PDB file of all heavy atoms in Angstrom:
ATOM      1  N   PHE A 610     -16.933  -0.763   3.910  1.00 93.00           N
ATOM      2  CA  PHE A 610     -17.840  -0.522   5.036  1.00 93.00           C
ATOM      3  C   PHE A 610     -17.344  -1.235   6.286  1.00 93.00           C
ATOM      4  O   PHE A 610     -17.259  -0.638   7.365  1.00 93.00           O
ATOM      5  CB  PHE A 610     -19.253  -0.999   4.690  1.00 93.00           C
ATOM      6  CG  PHE A 610     -20.172  -1.083   5.885  1.00 93.00           C
ATOM      7  CD1 PHE A 610     -20.702   0.065   6.448  1.00 93.00           C
ATOM      8  CD2 PHE A 610     -20.464  -2.314   6.466  1.00 93.00           C
ATOM      9  CE1 PHE A 610     -21.535  -0.016   7.564  1.00 93.00           C
ATOM     10  CE2 PHE A 610     -21.291  -2.397   7.574  1.00 93.00           C
ATOM     11  CZ  PHE A 610     -21.825  -1.250   8.122  1.00 93.00           C
ATOM     12  N   MET A 611     -17.011  -2.511   6.163  1.00 93.00           N
ATOM     13  CA  MET A 611     -16.545  -3.268   7.313  1.00 93.00           C
ATOM     14  C   MET A 611     -15.214  -2.704   7.824  1.00 93.00           C
ATOM     15  O   MET A 611     -14.978  -2.641   9.041  1.00 93.00           O
ATOM     16  CB  MET A 611     -16.404  -4.744   6.955  1.00 93.00           C
ATOM     17  CG  MET A 611     -15.980  -5.628   8.127  1.00 93.00           C
ATOM     18  SD  MET A 611     -17.072  -5.501   9.591  1.00 93.00           S
ATOM     19  CE  MET A 611     -18.612  -6.125   8.897  1.00 93.00           C
ATOM     20  N   ALA A 612     -14.347  -2.280   6.904  1.00 92.00           N
ATOM     21  CA  ALA A 612     -13.063  -1.709   7.319  1.00 92.00           C
ATOM     22  C   ALA A 612     -13.268  -0.464   8.166  1.00 92.00           C
ATOM     23  O   ALA A 612     -12.666  -0.310   9.239  1.00 92.00           O
ATOM     24  CB  ALA A 612     -12.222  -1.393   6.087  1.00 92.00           C
ATOM     25  N   LYS A 613     -14.129   0.442   7.694  1.00 93.00           N
ATOM     26  CA  LYS A 613     -14.370   1.668   8.459  1.00 93.00           C
ATOM     27  C   LYS A 613     -15.166   1.396   9.736  1.00 93.00           C
ATOM     28  O   LYS A 613     -14.945   2.055  10.760  1.00 93.00           O
ATOM     29  CB  LYS A 613     -15.097   2.691   7.581  1.00 93.00           C
ATOM     30  CG  LYS A 613     -14.203   3.293   6.507  1.00 93.00           C
ATOM     31  CD  LYS A 613     -14.850   4.453   5.797  1.00 93.00           C
ATOM     32  CE  LYS A 613     -13.856   5.118   4.843  1.00 93.00           C
ATOM     33  NZ  LYS A 613     -14.442   6.281   4.141  1.00 93.00           N
ATOM     34  N   TYR A 614     -16.058   0.438   9.685  1.00 93.00           N
ATOM     35  CA  TYR A 614     -16.808   0.071  10.897  1.00 93.00           C
ATOM     36  C   TYR A 614     -15.843  -0.382  11.996  1.00 93.00           C
ATOM     37  O   TYR A 614     -15.956   0.038  13.160  1.00 93.00           O
ATOM     38  CB  TYR A 614     -17.809  -1.029  10.578  1.00 93.00           C
ATOM     39  CG  TYR A 614     -18.486  -1.608  11.804  1.00 93.00           C
ATOM     40  CD1 TYR A 614     -19.535  -0.940  12.429  1.00 93.00           C
ATOM     41  CD2 TYR A 614     -18.052  -2.823  12.346  1.00 93.00           C
ATOM     42  CE1 TYR A 614     -20.144  -1.468  13.560  1.00 93.00           C
ATOM     43  CE2 TYR A 614     -18.647  -3.353  13.471  1.00 93.00           C
ATOM     44  CZ  TYR A 614     -19.695  -2.673  14.083  1.00 93.00           C
ATOM     45  OH  TYR A 614     -20.284  -3.201  15.207  1.00 93.00           O
ATOM     46  N   LEU A 615     -14.882  -1.227  11.635  1.00 93.00           N
ATOM     47  CA  LEU A 615     -13.910  -1.701  12.614  1.00 93.00           C
ATOM     48  C   LEU A 615     -13.035  -0.553  13.132  1.00 93.00           C
ATOM     49  O   LEU A 615     -12.754  -0.468  14.328  1.00 93.00           O
ATOM     50  CB  LEU A 615     -13.033  -2.787  11.987  1.00 93.00           C
ATOM     51  CG  LEU A 615     -13.710  -4.118  11.657  1.00 93.00           C
ATOM     52  CD1 LEU A 615     -12.756  -5.021  10.875  1.00 93.00           C
ATOM     53  CD2 LEU A 615     -14.176  -4.819  12.921  1.00 93.00           C
ATOM     54  N   VAL A 616     -12.632   0.339  12.221  1.00 92.00           N
ATOM     55  CA  VAL A 616     -11.786   1.461  12.614  1.00 92.00           C
ATOM     56  C   VAL A 616     -12.519   2.383  13.580  1.00 92.00           C
ATOM     57  O   VAL A 616     -11.986   2.750  14.641  1.00 92.00           O
ATOM     58  CB  VAL A 616     -11.320   2.250  11.371  1.00 92.00           C
ATOM     59  CG1 VAL A 616     -10.713   3.590  11.762  1.00 92.00           C
ATOM     60  CG2 VAL A 616     -10.297   1.439  10.576  1.00 92.00           C
ATOM     61  N   PHE A 617     -13.747   2.767  13.245  1.00 93.00           N
ATOM     62  CA  PHE A 617     -14.485   3.709  14.086  1.00 93.00           C
ATOM     63  C   PHE A 617     -14.887   3.069  15.414  1.00 93.00           C
ATOM     64  O   PHE A 617     -14.883   3.730  16.458  1.00 93.00           O
ATOM     65  CB  PHE A 617     -15.717   4.223  13.342  1.00 93.00           C
ATOM     66  CG  PHE A 617     -15.394   4.959  12.074  1.00 93.00           C
ATOM     67  CD1 PHE A 617     -16.283   4.974  11.005  1.00 93.00           C
ATOM     68  CD2 PHE A 617     -14.192   5.638  11.940  1.00 93.00           C
ATOM     69  CE1 PHE A 617     -15.973   5.648   9.836  1.00 93.00           C
ATOM     70  CE2 PHE A 617     -13.878   6.317  10.767  1.00 93.00           C
ATOM     71  CZ  PHE A 617     -14.772   6.326   9.716  1.00 93.00           C
ATOM     72  N   THR A 618     -15.242   1.783  15.392  1.00 93.00           N
ATOM     73  CA  THR A 618     -15.567   1.084  16.640  1.00 93.00           C
ATOM     74  C   THR A 618     -14.353   1.022  17.557  1.00 93.00           C
ATOM     75  O   THR A 618     -14.457   1.242  18.768  1.00 93.00           O
ATOM     76  CB  THR A 618     -16.061  -0.338  16.338  1.00 93.00           C
ATOM     77  OG1 THR A 618     -17.191  -0.279  15.472  1.00 93.00           O
ATOM     78  CG2 THR A 618     -16.453  -1.059  17.623  1.00 93.00           C
ATOM     79  N   ALA A 619     -13.195   0.744  16.980  1.00 91.00           N
ATOM     80  CA  ALA A 619     -11.961   0.709  17.764  1.00 91.00           C
ATOM     81  C   ALA A 619     -11.676   2.073  18.384  1.00 91.00           C
ATOM     82  O   ALA A 619     -11.255   2.172  19.552  1.00 91.00           O
ATOM     83  CB  ALA A 619     -10.786   0.268  16.890  1.00 91.00           C
ATOM     84  N   ALA A 620     -11.910   3.145  17.624  1.00 92.00           N
ATOM     85  CA  ALA A 620     -11.659   4.498  18.138  1.00 92.00           C
ATOM     86  C   ALA A 620     -12.577   4.814  19.303  1.00 92.00           C
ATOM     87  O   ALA A 620     -12.138   5.376  20.326  1.00 92.00           O
ATOM     88  CB  ALA A 620     -11.850   5.523  17.013  1.00 92.00           C
ATOM     89  N   ILE A 621     -13.855   4.443  19.190  1.00 93.00           N
ATOM     90  CA  ILE A 621     -14.811   4.712  20.275  1.00 93.00           C
ATOM     91  C   ILE A 621     -14.436   3.937  21.530  1.00 93.00           C
ATOM     92  O   ILE A 621     -14.428   4.479  22.644  1.00 93.00           O
ATOM     93  CB  ILE A 621     -16.243   4.368  19.818  1.00 93.00           C
ATOM     94  CG1 ILE A 621     -16.688   5.332  18.703  1.00 93.00           C
ATOM     95  CG2 ILE A 621     -17.211   4.417  20.995  1.00 93.00           C
ATOM     96  CD1 ILE A 621     -17.978   4.941  18.035  1.00 93.00           C
ATOM     97  N   GLU A 622     -14.091   2.669  21.381  1.00 89.00           N
ATOM     98  CA  GLU A 622     -13.765   1.838  22.537  1.00 89.00           C
ATOM     99  C   GLU A 622     -12.423   2.215  23.157  1.00 89.00           C
ATOM    100  O   GLU A 622     -12.166   1.881  24.314  1.00 89.00           O
ATOM    101  CB  GLU A 622     -13.778   0.363  22.136  1.00 89.00           C
ATOM    102  CG  GLU A 622     -15.161  -0.125  21.736  1.00 89.00           C
ATOM    103  CD  GLU A 622     -15.204  -1.618  21.495  1.00 89.00           C
ATOM    104  OE1 GLU A 622     -14.134  -2.263  21.533  1.00 89.00           O
ATOM    105  OE2 GLU A 622     -16.316  -2.147  21.278  1.00 89.00           O
ATOM    106  N   ALA A 623     -11.567   2.916  22.401  1.00 87.00           N
ATOM    107  CA  ALA A 623     -10.278   3.357  22.942  1.00 87.00           C
ATOM    108  C   ALA A 623     -10.336   4.807  23.431  1.00 87.00           C
ATOM    109  O   ALA A 623      -9.296   5.433  23.643  1.00 87.00           O
ATOM    110  CB  ALA A 623      -9.200   3.210  21.884  1.00 87.00           C
ATOM    111  N   ASN A 624     -11.571   5.337  23.575  1.00 88.00           N
ATOM    112  CA  ASN A 624     -11.776   6.708  24.059  1.00 88.00           C
ATOM    113  C   ASN A 624     -11.252   7.768  23.091  1.00 88.00           C
ATOM    114  O   ASN A 624     -10.802   8.832  23.515  1.00 88.00           O
ATOM    115  CB  ASN A 624     -11.140   6.900  25.446  1.00 88.00           C
ATOM    116  CG  ASN A 624     -11.780   6.025  26.503  1.00 88.00           C
ATOM    117  OD1 ASN A 624     -12.992   5.843  26.517  1.00 88.00           O
ATOM    118  ND2 ASN A 624     -10.957   5.454  27.376  1.00 88.00           N
ATOM    119  N   TYR A 625     -11.337   7.470  21.803  1.00 90.00           N
ATOM    120  CA  TYR A 625     -11.046   8.459  20.763  1.00 90.00           C
ATOM    121  C   TYR A 625     -12.316   8.717  19.957  1.00 90.00           C
ATOM    122  O   TYR A 625     -12.295   8.739  18.728  1.00 90.00           O
ATOM    123  CB  TYR A 625      -9.934   7.964  19.842  1.00 90.00           C
ATOM    124  CG  TYR A 625      -8.562   8.046  20.439  1.00 90.00           C
ATOM    125  CD1 TYR A 625      -7.946   6.923  20.981  1.00 90.00           C
ATOM    126  CD2 TYR A 625      -7.857   9.248  20.470  1.00 90.00           C
ATOM    127  CE1 TYR A 625      -6.680   6.991  21.538  1.00 90.00           C
ATOM    128  CE2 TYR A 625      -6.585   9.324  21.027  1.00 90.00           C
ATOM    129  CZ  TYR A 625      -6.005   8.195  21.557  1.00 90.00           C
ATOM    130  OH  TYR A 625      -4.749   8.268  22.109  1.00 90.00           O
ATOM    131  N   SER A 626     -13.410   8.968  20.676  1.00 92.00           N
ATOM    132  CA  SER A 626     -14.693   9.174  20.006  1.00 92.00           C
ATOM    133  C   SER A 626     -14.654  10.362  19.062  1.00 92.00           C
ATOM    134  O   SER A 626     -15.304  10.359  18.011  1.00 92.00           O
ATOM    135  CB  SER A 626     -15.800   9.373  21.046  1.00 92.00           C
ATOM    136  OG  SER A 626     -15.927   8.222  21.859  1.00 92.00           O
ATOM    137  N   TRP A 627     -13.878  11.398  19.417  1.00 93.00           N
ATOM    138  CA  TRP A 627     -13.800  12.580  18.553  1.00 93.00           C
ATOM    139  C   TRP A 627     -13.186  12.240  17.193  1.00 93.00           C
ATOM    140  O   TRP A 627     -13.593  12.784  16.172  1.00 93.00           O
ATOM    141  CB  TRP A 627     -13.005  13.686  19.245  1.00 93.00           C
ATOM    142  CG  TRP A 627     -11.564  13.361  19.535  1.00 93.00           C
ATOM    143  CD1 TRP A 627     -11.071  12.675  20.592  1.00 93.00           C
ATOM    144  CD2 TRP A 627     -10.435  13.716  18.720  1.00 93.00           C
ATOM    145  NE1 TRP A 627      -9.701  12.565  20.511  1.00 93.00           N
ATOM    146  CE2 TRP A 627      -9.282  13.208  19.380  1.00 93.00           C
ATOM    147  CE3 TRP A 627     -10.266  14.419  17.528  1.00 93.00           C
ATOM    148  CZ2 TRP A 627      -7.988  13.373  18.859  1.00 93.00           C
ATOM    149  CZ3 TRP A 627      -8.998  14.590  17.011  1.00 93.00           C
ATOM    150  CH2 TRP A 627      -7.881  14.073  17.676  1.00 93.00           C
TER     151      TRP A 627
END
Side-chain angles (χ1 to χ4, degrees):
F610 167 75
M611 183 55 63
K613 288 189 174 181
Y614 172 79
L615 292 173
V616 167
F617 299 151
T618 303
I621 293 171
E622 295 187 354
N624 297 321
Y625 284 100
S626 298
W627 63 277

